[in-house]
Amino acid sequence: MSTRAERALDASTMLAAPARAAATLAGGARGAARRRAAAAAAARVAVVRATSSSSSSSSSSSSSSSSSSVSDAAPPETTVAPSTPGDPRGPPAAAPAPTPRAHAVARDSPLFASHPLFASTTGGRVVADLALVVDEIPLGVVDPVSRVERVAKIVRPASEDEVLDMYVELGLLDRDPYWAALWPSSIALARGVAAAAERDARCLRATRGSASARAAAAVAGKDACDLGSGLGLAGIAAAMCGAREVVFYDREPLALQCCLLSAELNGLDVSVSGRGTASGGGGGGGDEKSTRLCDAETFDWNAVPADQRTFDLVLACDVLYEPGMAAPVASLVPTLTRRGGGRWLLADPPNRAPRNREKFLELVYENGKRDGWGGNCETSEPRREIVTHRGSTDEVLLMDFIIK
């Protein structure tokens, strides 16, 4: 076990790359946000270096009990959501107090041994190599059985900065650390999903579960995709509120591992290569096929497979914050959406990148007109939602459109 001074010196040596990373990004095309992020990481390394010499001078008098293994350290009792300089999405929603010992919960999960996704790593790392916490997010609807508000439990890294430092250390300068934060758009989308599911339930009760009501439902009994899922809050909400299956899509394996750990923590069934369930309790409700099954796959929307499956419901938030995202996301509308009633629910801050959103909608209709389905795209009026979470209030735009 190393002393505090040795750990500081090791960190200084291992993280020497950020200074070079910042210089590389400054001359490259990674974008202003990532240049600022790399510069921030380099600044943190400078702090480590500055403290290294003072720690070394006192190391000989330090007792061995003053040092501890990082992997054995207990997670903090409270966590303030970190803010990465230059983040194009603005500040994340303030984090609620995490559930104690969430890191131990993650390490004990049977998913690490049973689900193939946990064999995927980022530079040899899995999500349990990060300190993890659990946020509890109210969904704004009441469970019909318990008569209490539904609450989604979301596993996430305790610090977005730790994820950023990991990427810089590994030289993965094109990776986006922002998946590790809980964003207002994800909360708004999750609550929008829960509200839509509640409307489904009322309609199904009023029509005694008629075939037309089941077909028109937005969430209940549907196969859903959480696109660019990040922590997967919207997909978790869909599964908790009656979706038949939810698949999380993201290019970052660590984000997807968080999604599956969250599914497990919420009592949802997790698929293992289509062989049934690995954990969870089925979520309750629905018919035999409505078991709230969750799965996750790494997904690159610039390299979509030829045999890509389609979904009844596609959920997406914060996927339009860079200009280059409008075209690939628009191309996914016919690729991911089931014809004859497939639906998209999309959340985006209204004032952050309105031109990107306008370009996305233009491309959706242009692609549809070119490919012969444009006249079958029905778009409802976007609605503005206010998210107040832990003292932070943000406005989010929710968009809903159907491919008929």
Side-chain angles (χ1 to χ4, degrees):
M1 185 176 293
S2 63
T3 66
R4 179 168 40 194
E6 288 170 335
R7 292 201 310 276
L9 189 58
D10 288 344
S12 176
T13 302
M14 291 172 62
L15 296 178
R20 295 191 297 274
T24 300
L25 288 176
R30 295 300 185 191
R34 291 193 176 97
R35 289 197 296 273
R36 296 189 189 103
R44 288 195 292 275
V45 171
V47 173
V48 172
R49 287 173 175 163
T51 58
S52 175
S53 59
S54 61
S55 298
S56 298
S57 63
S58 61
S59 63
S60 59
S61 60
S62 298
S63 66
S64 60
S65 62
S66 67
S67 61
S68 61
S69 169
V70 174
S71 62
D72 292 337
E77 291 300 317
T78 59
T79 302
V80 177
S83 178
T84 302
D87 194 326
R89 284 173 281 195
T99 301
R101 300 191 62 76
H103 197 181
V105 171
R107 286 186 179 277
D108 291 342
S109 170
L111 290 172
F112 283 96
S114 61
H115 199 286
L117 181 68
F118 286 82
S120 301
T121 66
T122 296
R125 312 286 178 87
V126 294
V127 76
D129 293 325
L130 301 169
L132 300 176
V133 294
V134 178
D135 289 340
E136 295 188 350
I137 309 301
L139 297 179
V141 298
V142 174
D143 185 279
V145 177
S146 66
R147 307 305 303 167
V148 298
E149 185 176 17
R150 292 187 187 273
V151 174
K153 298 175 182 178
I154 301 299
V155 176
R156 66 171 175 84
S159 169
E160 186 182 355
D161 286 343
E162 183 184 4
V163 178
L164 173 61
D165 290 341
M166 177 191 70
Y167 286 152
V168 173
E169 176 188 337
L170 295 172
L172 301 175
L173 305 183
D174 64 338
R175 294 299 180 95
D176 186 342
Y178 306 134
W179 65 265
L182 188 64
W183 298 95
S185 292
S186 67
I187 297 175
L189 182 58
R191 291 175 178 169
V193 167
E198 192 171 59
R199 291 192 293 272
D200 292 345
R202 288 198 298 267
C203 184
L204 288 167
R205 286 195 299 269
T207 63
R208 297 183 180 180
S210 68
S212 60
R214 291 197 302 272
V219 181
K222 303 300 184 180
D223 296 331
C225 162
D226 192 341
L227 177 65
S229 61
L231 296 172
L233 174 57
I236 293 294
M240 292 177 65
C241 295
R244 177 172 54 189
E245 180 183 8
V246 175
V247 180
F248 300 96
Y249 278 171
D250 204 287
R251 72 167 184 164
E252 174 52 72
L254 303 190
L256 296 174
Q257 290 169 14
C258 281
C259 292
L260 294 182
L261 291 171
S262 295
E264 177 189 54
L265 194 59
N266 285 282
L268 303 168
D269 287 331
V270 178
S271 173
V272 180
S273 300
R275 295 194 304 269
T277 61
S279 59
D287 56 32
E288 289 183 0
K289 292 187 177 181
S290 298
T291 55
R292 326 284 177 89
L293 190 65
C294 296
D295 205 351
E297 300 176 16
T298 53
F299 182 81
D300 182 351
W301 59 37
N302 292 307
V304 180
D307 59 348
Q308 174 62 47
R309 66 173 292 189
T310 59
F311 298 89
D312 301 310
L313 174 64
V314 179
L315 307 171
C317 66
D318 288 320
V319 295
L320 299 173
Y321 60 90
E322 290 183 2
M325 292 180 170
V329 176
S331 71
L332 291 176
V333 173
T335 303
L336 293 180
T337 316
R338 179 183 58 80
R339 301 290 177 90
R343 180 188 302 259
W344 275 59
L345 293 177
L346 191 148
D348 198 49
N351 301 317
R352 185 188 61 206
R355 292 185 179 179
N356 297 353
R357 188 167 55 250
E358 292 169 3
K359 182 63 174 176
F360 165 74
L361 293 174
E362 288 175 6
L363 289 171
V364 167
Y365 285 104
E366 288 177 6
N367 294 345
K369 185 176 181 181
R370 179 195 65 205
D371 298 335
W373 56 267
N376 297 324
C377 183
E378 178 181 299
T379 305
S380 61
E381 186 69 22
R383 60 188 186 276
R384 293 174 183 261
E385 299 287 341
I386 301 298
V387 174
T388 300
H389 183 67
R390 291 286 179 176
S392 174
T393 300
D394 299 272
E395 189 175 33
V396 178
L397 194 68
L398 290 181
M399 293 177 283
D400 181 355
F401 53 93
I402 303 172
I403 306 298
K404 291 190 172 181

